[in-house]
Amino acid sequence: MNEIKFSNLGLKETLLKSITDLGFEEPSQIQAEAIPVAIEGYDLIGQAQTGTGKTAAFGCGIINNISKKDGLSAIILAPTRELAIQVNDELKRLAKYDELGILPIYGGDPITNQIRALKRNINIVVGTPGRVLDHIKRGTIKLDKIKFLVLDEADEMLNMGFIDDLEDIIKKLPSERQTLLFSATMPDQIKRLAKRYMKDDAKHIAIKKTSMTVSKISQSFYEVSHKTRFEALCRVLDFDTPSSAIIFCRTKKGVDELVEGMQSRGYIVEGMHGDMSQAHRLRTLKKFKEGSLNFLVATDVAARGIDVEGITHVINYDLPQDVESYVHRIGRTGRANREGTAYSLVSPKEYSMLKQIKTVTKGDITRRPIPTVNDIFASKSKTILKDVSDTINDSDYDKFLPVAQELSEKFDSVEIIAALIKSKFNSDLMDTYSSDVLEAPKSEDVRLFLSVGRRDGINPKSLVNFIKDTARVKPSSIGDIDILENFSFVNIAPDVKDKVINKCMGLKLNKRKVNIEVANRNKKRR
Ligand code: ADP
Ligand code: MG
């Protein structure tokens, strides 16, 4: 990790503001290195593992140098529709304060809609090569003002056989443009492409793959969905009752929300992130070190350099953005050769990151079932048994003897004990959980692509209602939902897939006809 801040990279104020809104605390390595080079105007070949933030790396680089009145200034090519949509969405958020027009363009969507949309003031087109070429040939995408070309996930585009389309497009572009090429790997074919179409003084930035091993730390993960993540964490904490745990979140907002949720459930916890003053952070850290706080919720940056003895658990409330951060996170426990425990809460969307972590760390990360209420009950009972025997051994209860005497004259001793335990349990368990087992997300859920999005005024609730009422499926068959500007993705149980597609296809939701397809899933996580 590096110590560089976004504010040191030469970015304009509007971008710094939107980056703050996104909750990014500090640039990833590829961002720290690529952004200044891109802003200076050099051609750039950037290589870094998946999930290292390449989108914002080129996104910041070009948005920084484009303004609303520049006309169509940039073309970004991505291998698949899903990736184009993802990139489009992230760029929109980055360009929020510059109010740039950004449009996704890909096959499968009616071309007439795209032609109409292209007539608006569009500054950046994000598209798949085939469809973009189609528009160029029709003259509906004009290239005379193009200053930037981005080839995103270039290795995948070549794998998918887009080389001819790419070359066709590149040859039509103004030659004084700036070209940015990003890829996770650098096969020869890409090197040749770069040599042929990029300037001689192009900069190469390659971020090394991290490979680290983490012994001594037992690593496991729990499968959660967006909905059950918080409850899963509570169950794990109630079952394990760690005496000292750091819980990691990716963003500052995530930290704030989690701390609030945990505090309202009675956990002794405080948060730590970059927006808090140094003095405040030191105070929190002191409490944590002294043991008057059981839990510390932190971002990766805020936790850097924290060296606290005796942390028993590191919990990844969500997975970090790169493998290196994961290794840094879990290295907080298991210090001085003591055993440590690392848990990760992983949603289906995070599986590919988990896989990557497993590969790079060569770590054995085992799946664990989320504790049921019965499990928690059994674990708490054990703790009580131990507490009571310890207290009896220490004979440290004299002043309670008179009350005990009085109780034993009125009631049976087993009844008294059970009632005492109940009064202890009730407050911290019985009211909290509604069902014994916390349903795990079905990892084999099918991901559906729907042609309605935020622009149609839909939200997760209205989308669930639409699917549930139209296809008559149980809400439990509907999983994670991602609503983007123009589209949505919905995970559903495989047994109702056909029903949902058949019943919902072609109907209108908030005046827009809904088109549904099974989404191309294998591309990447988000
Ligand atoms: P890549 O293209 O390298 O595979 P992405 O650009 O898709 O990676 O980024 C992966 C995820 O990390 C996205 O959800 C993105 O919003 C997030 N991300 C990017 N940069 C940062 C950052 N500096 N801090 C925190 N999260 C980030
Ligand atoms: Mg990418």
Side-chain angles (χ1 to χ4, degrees):
M1 286 204 245
N2 49 73
E3 297 295 329
I4 299 168
K5 294 194 171 83
F6 275 111
S7 54
N8 298 336
L9 301 180
L11 292 166
K12 56 188 176 188
E13 279 304 314
T14 42
L15 264 172
L16 291 176
K17 238 166 89 184
S18 51
I19 288 169
T20 305
D21 290 355
L22 277 165
F24 296 176
E25 273 204 289
E26 62 158 17
S28 65
Q29 239 181 313
I30 184 79
Q31 290 164 357
E33 296 194 28
I35 290 172
V37 172
I39 291 179
E40 263 197 70
Y42 285 103
D43 279 4
L44 170 67
I45 301 175
Q47 184 185 1
Q49 278 167 272
T50 303
T52 51
K54 294 192 285 296
T55 313
F58 65 73
C60 290
I62 64 173
I63 290 169
N64 195 75
N65 295 355
I66 295 180
S67 89
K68 204 173 157 178
K69 55 180 186 351
D70 291 347
L72 182 56
S73 311
I75 291 191
I76 295 168
L77 298 173
T80 64
R81 169 172 75 182
E82 268 200 280
L83 284 174
I85 292 169
Q86 277 177 26
V87 169
N88 174 73
D89 237 52
E90 182 135 328
L91 296 193
K92 276 212 158 118
R93 275 177 277 175
L94 283 169
K96 183 163 110 189
Y97 297 104
D98 293 296
E99 298 174 345
L100 300 185
I102 304 179
L103 189 70
I105 290 285
Y106 46 78
D109 197 36
I111 197 156
T112 46
N113 291 355
Q114 295 174 352
I115 291 172
R116 203 174 321 122
L118 279 163
K119 288 188 178 139
R120 297 195 305 253
N121 181 28
I122 299 300
N123 304 108
I124 303 176
V125 159
V126 187
T128 47
R131 183 55 71 93
V132 167
L133 187 60
D134 197 353
H135 279 283
I136 294 174
K137 286 181 177 156
R138 287 165 185 254
T140 41
I141 288 183
K142 298 205 178 55
L143 303 178
D144 51 315
K145 293 192 180 133
I146 296 288
K147 289 191 290 184
F148 306 96
L149 169 69
V150 178
L151 305 175
D152 188 24
E153 316 269 357
D155 47 357
E156 283 212 39
M157 288 204 279
L158 295 191
N159 285 342
M160 296 177 67
F162 279 130
I163 184 72
D164 293 341
D165 286 351
L166 287 183
E167 294 200 70
D168 274 2
I169 294 172
I170 297 174
K171 282 181 195 150
K172 293 182 167 51
L173 291 171
S175 58
E176 64 277 21
R177 65 163 195 278
Q178 183 181 351
T179 308
L180 309 174
L181 182 154
F182 284 82
S183 191
T185 60
M186 277 297 147
D188 287 342
Q189 214 187 353
I190 294 206
K191 291 187 195 139
R192 279 199 298 275
L193 187 76
K195 202 162 166 40
R196 216 171 311 149
Y197 298 106
M198 294 172 76
K199 297 191 193 105
D200 291 338
D201 63 350
K203 306 276 183 209
H204 293 241
I205 296 174
I207 307 299
K208 274 207 215 73
K209 280 198 178 175
T210 38
S211 83
M212 289 180 243
T213 44
V214 273
S215 50
K216 281 282 165 201
I217 300 170
S218 109
Q219 304 173 62
S220 6
F221 71 94
Y222 296 94
E223 289 174 330
V224 301
S225 67
H226 178 63
K227 274 207 299 268
T228 60
R229 196 183 290 269
F230 179 64
E231 179 163 345
L233 174 73
C234 296
R235 287 177 181 238
V236 169
L237 296 180
D238 288 350
F239 181 75
D240 262 39
T241 52
S243 51
S244 177
I246 295 197
I247 303 167
F248 281 97
C249 292
R250 245 160 101 149
T251 63
K252 295 183 260 195
K253 205 165 133 223
V255 169
D256 288 338
E257 285 169 4
L258 182 57
V259 168
E260 207 183 300
M262 287 181 69
Q263 283 176 342
S264 71
R265 285 237 193 168
Y267 295 99
I268 302 172
V269 57
E270 280 185 35
M272 213 156 94
H273 60 59
D275 282 355
M276 296 165 177
S277 71
Q278 181 71 8
H280 182 130
R281 285 196 269 170
L282 286 175
R283 263 199 317 275
T284 306
L285 196 57
K286 186 159 173 275
K287 285 195 239 171
F288 186 56
K289 278 185 175 166
E290 292 168 353
S292 55
L293 272 185
N294 299 127
F295 306 110
L296 182 66
V297 179
T299 56
D300 293 281
V301 180
R304 173 152 332 132
I306 289 185
D307 194 13
V308 179
E309 283 283 298
I311 293 176
T312 57
H313 289 60
V314 166
I315 299 174
N316 297 308
Y317 188 63
D318 37 33
L319 286 180
Q321 60 164 339
D322 52 44
V323 180
E324 198 183 358
S325 305
Y326 176 86
V327 175
H328 278 276
R329 283 180 176 190
I330 72 168
R332 306 273 156 225
T333 184
R335 291 263 159 123
N337 255 353
R338 260 183 278 176
E339 311 244 309
T341 302
Y343 292 144
S344 301
L345 304 184
V346 181
S347 67
K349 276 194 271 180
E350 294 171 307
Y351 287 159
S352 63
M353 187 64 199
L354 179 70
K355 216 168 122 202
Q356 213 178 313
I357 291 173
K358 281 186 186 169
T359 316
V360 176
T361 63
K362 303 187 182 66
D364 193 12
I365 310 180
T366 46
R367 197 188 77 87
R368 283 183 176 231
I370 293 169
T372 63
V373 171
N374 279 327
D375 294 338
I376 299 170
F377 188 85
S379 143
K380 293 226 171 199
S381 307
K382 246 197 223 154
T383 315
I384 289 183
L385 210 66
K386 184 171 179 307
D387 282 358
V388 172
S389 7
D390 287 354
T391 314
I392 292 179
N393 287 337
D394 295 349
S395 322
D396 185 18
Y397 46 76
D398 283 359
K399 66 174 180 228
F400 299 99
L401 283 174
V403 193
Q405 192 65 43
E406 204 181 319
L407 283 169
S408 74
E409 278 158 21
K410 281 196 195 149
F411 308 101
D412 173 62
S413 58
V414 173
E415 280 172 354
I416 299 170
I417 297 168
L420 282 173
I421 295 178
K422 178 179 182 248
S423 68
K424 189 170 156 65
F425 256 137
N426 246 5
S427 55
D428 50 302
L429 180 62
M430 293 320 189
D431 303 336
T432 320
Y433 301 113
S434 51
S435 66
D436 184 37
V437 178
L438 185 65
E439 195 121 344
K442 294 186 192 69
S443 52
E444 69 279 22
D445 269 6
V446 182
R447 193 158 165 82
L448 295 182
F449 167 89
L450 285 83
S451 61
V452 287
R454 271 199 296 275
R455 66 169 172 191
D456 306 304
I458 61 159
N459 56 40
K461 198 164 160 215
S462 60
L463 198 54
V464 168
N465 283 340
F466 170 73
I467 295 173
K468 166 172 84 81
D469 298 342
T470 315
R472 300 194 164 275
V473 298
K474 285 195 283 252
S476 60
S477 311
I478 306 173
D480 279 5
I481 293 184
D482 281 317
I483 297 189
L484 309 181
E485 186 58 25
N486 302 323
F487 315 93
S488 308
F489 294 101
V490 179
N491 286 3
I492 54 153
D495 53 317
V496 299
K497 177 193 81 181
D498 292 330
K499 201 152 110 184
V500 169
I501 295 181
N502 293 339
K503 297 265 177 178
C504 300
M505 176 73 102
L507 293 188
K508 282 195 173 172
L509 179 57
N510 286 0
K511 301 209 184 111
R512 189 176 302 271
K513 208 160 125 190
V514 180
N515 193 9
I516 308 189
E517 290 170 33
V518 174
N520 183 353
R521 183 106 213 215
N522 66 359
K523 279 312 154 209
K524 79 180 278 241
R525 90 200 162 78
R526 226 187 105 81

